[in-house]
Amino acid sequence: MKQQLIRGAIHHYPHATADYAADLQSFTDGAMLIESGKIIALGEYNELRGQYPAAALTDYRDYLIIPGLIDTHLHFPQTEIIAKYGEQLLTWLDNFTFPAEGQFADPALSARMADFFLNECLKNGTTTGLVYSSVHKTSTEALFEAASARNMLTVAGKVCMDRHCPDWLQDTPASAQRDSAELIERYHGKGRNYYALTPRFAPTSSSAQMAALGELAQQYDDVFIQTHLSENHDEIAWVKTLYPDCEDYLAVYEKYHMVRPRAVYGHCIHLSDSEWQRMAASGAVAAFCPTSNLFLGSGLFEMGKAEQFNVPVTLATDVGGGTSFNLLRTLGEAYKICQLRQFKLSALQGFYMLTQGAAHSLGLSDKIGNFNVGSDADFVVLNPRFDPLTTLRVKNDSSCEDALFALTMLGDDRATVATWVAGQPQYIQQEHADALA
Ligand code: GUN
Ligand code: ZN
């Protein structure tokens, strides 16, 4: 297969680290050699051009090239209800979320929305999502099919819920177990698809349903698990009444074998020290969803606690509780929450969390999150000077850290020049497409 050489200012983290300044690898005039969707060499442009004179060149010399961004918690059937006014979590679910998710009983609508959703991700530089579908098995299939058509590495799961939501959105313990198992067999590890067991959260799953999904968690020990934890005070009080035998919220998930590596807990805002400590011991991951936490008035995530207890933290949009598909913008809101918590979140730490850090926490760093030889060629090309204000603010010789920080505050999808997935451009901004034509 033909080799491709991609030129630009390349930045990535080759391995897991907590030293974000020292371990960033940068090539100001760099190049990446791609063959059959994978990275086969990385280095200075001049050197690689000399070694591979026949490779087809795509020249992004004026732009930053970073690994495709990883959104570790978002809901594809909530795309249409982004930015709905006035509610906090539990009434937001009743008033907006459940009616919207009900529409996904229709396979044709699910297919249309899966396309829309993934295109929105790509336009914002996101190449991998951990995605909740609706309760319908068919909507999960629609998402995997749309992701496969774009060759995007995607982790997704059918929401399971058998109580405290409208009848027409409920499954049962048996159907949730059967449908989830069929989806695992059909999709998990097939192509670039991976499955996540997805009990929506403890309030909407009976003990019988949690037990049924816990059996699958034990049977399939490499599947992902995704759910919500400790987002809102009313939710936490409710869980106490629903699971009186469990000492706290995390204990519900522990009881059903769901707290382990590759389990991603959305929000984690109001955890006790004991819960932080047990999260750390388990290898589970906390997904920090800043725009959602502010929008729904849920609270201010404590990055300092996560670091104190050594719990891996990833970033996530939580669309449609979250208000943007853009993960750099999301990092900007995370920075502001950390300011209120007296924690200095650097642009480089944030960049790590969106790429190698997320991949490492999820056990996917042999494939995504970095530009190591052998990794899949998923990357984003960013123009940090995409309008008059950013052109004024970001200088030609600005550091990667400064340019990225400016993008977290001022950026949006106008900064995305192109998004490549497994060595193919899956999104090209219109003016660049025109220039290439
Ligand atoms: N808790 C249970 N379901 C949801 C959801 O869809 N979004 C958010 N933000 N929290 C939840
Ligand atoms: Zn969520």
Side-chain angles (χ1 to χ4, degrees):
M1 208 187 187
K2 202 161 171 40
Q3 294 182 336
Q4 301 190 80
L5 196 63
I6 312 293
R7 180 182 191 180
I10 296 178
H11 305 277
H12 80 132
Y13 285 95
H15 52 77
T17 183
D19 191 343
Y20 309 108
D23 287 338
L24 178 70
Q25 187 174 46
S26 295
F27 300 93
T28 312
D29 186 9
M32 186 191 319
L33 188 74
I34 302 172
E35 189 175 323
S36 304
K38 292 194 184 298
I39 295 164
I40 57 170
L42 181 74
E44 301 294 347
Y45 169 74
N46 281 336
E47 275 176 37
L48 287 192
R49 178 81 279 187
Q51 285 170 31
Y52 301 95
L57 177 68
T58 304
D59 197 339
Y60 291 126
R61 168 179 354 186
D62 299 330
Y63 304 129
L64 302 178
I65 300 179
I66 62 173
L69 303 176
I70 302 170
D71 190 339
T72 56
H73 180 123
L74 75 173
H75 301 256
F76 109 83
Q78 296 175 14
T79 306
E80 206 178 341
I81 57 149
I82 194 165
K84 284 283 196 180
Y85 176 77
E87 303 297 337
Q88 298 217 352
L89 176 63
L90 299 178
T91 47
W92 175 81
L93 287 171
D94 287 338
N95 294 354
F96 301 127
T97 312
F98 294 147
E101 294 193 9
Q103 298 179 73
F104 286 70
D106 175 358
L109 176 129
S110 299
R112 267 199 320 278
M113 291 309 297
D115 281 335
F116 185 99
F117 169 84
L118 291 176
N119 290 343
E120 205 62 33
C121 289
L122 291 168
K123 188 165 82 162
N124 284 284
T126 298
T127 51
T128 284
L130 270 71
V131 186
Y132 291 59
S133 70
S134 66
V135 74
H136 313 96
K137 187 180 177 204
T138 47
S139 80
T140 320
E141 291 165 347
L143 187 77
F144 278 129
E145 296 305 325
S148 300
R150 291 162 179 76
N151 209 8
M152 293 169 76
L153 193 155
T154 296
V155 182
K158 181 202 104 70
V159 161
C160 300
M161 48 183 179
D162 66 345
R163 64 175 181 178
H164 300 136
C165 61
D167 297 348
W168 38 266
L169 265 184
Q170 290 182 21
D171 54 11
T172 66
S175 74
Q177 191 184 52
R178 185 189 61 238
D179 288 351
S180 301
E182 284 175 10
L183 288 165
I184 290 169
E185 293 292 339
R186 180 153 165 214
Y187 290 106
H188 183 65
K190 307 287 161 56
R192 301 190 82 199
N193 300 313
Y194 295 90
Y195 196 76
L197 290 168
T198 309
R200 174 170 222 117
F201 66 156
T204 47
S205 287
S206 65
S207 305
Q209 180 165 85
M210 292 297 277
L213 296 176
E215 283 176 13
L216 290 186
Q218 290 174 284
Q219 189 181 337
Y220 297 101
D221 62 5
D222 71 332
V223 300
F224 293 83
I225 297 169
Q226 56 183 358
T227 186
H228 298 85
L229 174 65
S230 248
E231 176 177 4
N232 166 292
H233 288 299
D234 292 342
E235 169 209 16
I236 296 164
W238 196 21
V239 170
K240 254 190 175 22
T241 68
L242 294 170
Y243 286 94
D245 59 320
C246 293
E247 64 167 307
D248 52 30
Y249 199 160
L250 187 66
V252 179
Y253 298 124
E254 286 171 333
K255 179 172 179 183
Y256 299 106
H257 315 286
M258 293 183 186
V259 188
R260 69 174 196 198
R262 285 198 163 179
V264 181
Y265 285 91
H267 306 297
C268 299
I269 300 171
H270 310 288
L271 297 183
S272 66
D273 282 4
S274 163
E275 289 175 299
W276 278 119
Q277 190 276 321
R278 283 145 49 213
M279 284 282 289
S282 73
V285 177
F288 177 11
C289 309
T291 71
S292 169
N293 299 162
L294 295 170
F295 181 71
L296 295 174
S298 303
L300 305 175
F301 183 82
E302 294 189 88
M303 195 68 197
K305 282 274 186 196
E307 290 214 337
Q308 178 192 335
F309 286 94
N310 222 1
V311 172
V313 180
T314 55
L315 284 162
T317 63
D318 192 29
V319 162
T323 53
S324 170
F325 274 88
N326 192 285
L327 277 167
L328 290 171
R329 241 325 180 357
T330 301
L331 170 57
E333 297 306 291
Y335 171 84
K336 295 174 191 171
I337 288 178
C338 288
Q339 283 283 64
L340 288 167
R341 289 291 197 187
Q342 312 304 320
F343 182 97
K344 245 194 172 89
L345 180 62
S346 72
L348 288 183
Q349 180 169 3
F351 172 44
Y352 177 77
M353 290 165 74
L354 291 171
T355 55
Q356 173 73 0
H360 177 71
S361 301
L362 299 168
L364 291 170
S365 59
D366 58 331
K367 299 179 179 64
I368 58 172
N370 58 65
F371 294 142
N372 296 334
V373 168
S375 288
D376 298 333
D378 290 357
F379 62 90
V380 194
V381 183
L382 292 172
N383 179 5
R385 295 154 57 85
F386 64 84
D387 74 346
L389 182 60
T390 51
T391 303
L392 179 74
R393 164 65 180 77
V394 182
K395 309 302 176 199
N396 271 324
D397 60 353
S398 286
S399 66
C400 166
E401 178 167 18
D402 184 53
L404 282 176
F405 187 71
L407 279 183
T408 71
M409 294 299 151
L410 305 172
D412 54 45
D413 58 82
R414 290 172 297 167
T416 314
V417 171
T419 304
W420 288 55
V421 178
Q424 297 295 325
Q426 289 290 347
Y427 168 77
I428 304 176
Q429 198 181 87
Q430 192 56 49
E431 68 184 82
H432 295 275
D434 294 345
L436 290 176

